[in-house]
Amino acid sequence: MVHITDGVLSPIVIAAGWAATAILLALTLWRSNRKEEPLEQIPKISILTAAFFVASLIHISLGPTSVHLILNGLLGVLLGTLAYPAIFVGLILQAFLFQHGGITVIGVNTLNVGIPALIVAFIFKRGYSAGVNPSVLGIICGGLATLITALLMALVLVTTGEEFTEVAYAAIAAHAPIMIVEALVTGSVVGFLLKVKPEMLPERRSKNE
């Protein structure tokens, strides 16, 4: 249900979603260029985009909705602001290749999945630089990203029409177990990378930066 289909949302909501996504894509890509991200980032971005693409395709029906792993928390932790364009690409591929989610609502779906990734990217980077245990941060960020995604999706549905209120509540409840799984997966991956390839984690910064 995180991947809203065509014909559900109002034209105003769809247009607003595309406008906001266009702005966020421009800002995140501009920030990446300004920071002169090395070309070595490309393989990491490609692998994580592929992981997001595959994980979101495997979904389980629960009542009037369906759930699946999202991994936007993991992308936010490992890619930072580049998680947003990575998610955008993944959603486009899912929509066009497998009709998983609508084409006209790609902008809204990217917002629902991408904004939580940006939020947890900020939280993880700040906490990591402050010396908080990375695995604990990963657990928090993985679960939080899923929660925010479910809330944003529910908000979009409710603003479209009251007839979607029950579905929105059901979708939030259905994602409760997914939050736990996402938290454990993200925390485990962060802990593993910390041991074998710590350079994949965000660069630690001093408090004055």
Side-chain angles (χ1 to χ4, degrees), residues 1-5 52 56 65-70 72 91 100-101 105 108-110 112-113 146 149-150 153 157 171 175 178:
M1 195 60 202
V2 168
H3 294 70
I4 299 172
T5 59
F52 167 80
S56 296
T65 184
S66 63
V67 296
H68 55 75
L69 287 178
I70 307 172
N72 56 338
L91 290 176
H100 191 38
V105 292
V108 173
N109 285 335
T110 305
N112 291 344
V113 182
T146 305
T149 297
M153 178 270 298
L157 290 175
H175 279 82
I178 299 298

Side-chain angles (χ1 to χ4, degrees), residues 94-115:
Q94 289 172 357
F96 278 94
L97 295 179
F98 297 99
Q99 293 75 52
H100 191 38
I103 295 174
T104 62
V105 292
I106 290 175
V108 173
N109 285 335
T110 305
L111 281 178
N112 291 344
V113 182
I115 286 179

Side-chain angles (χ1 to χ4, degrees), residues 74 134-140 142 181-193:
L74 181 62
S135 295
V136 173
L137 276 174
I139 291 173
I140 294 172
V181 176
E182 290 268 358
L184 294 176
V185 168
T186 306
S188 298
V189 171
V190 169
F192 176 74
L193 291 177

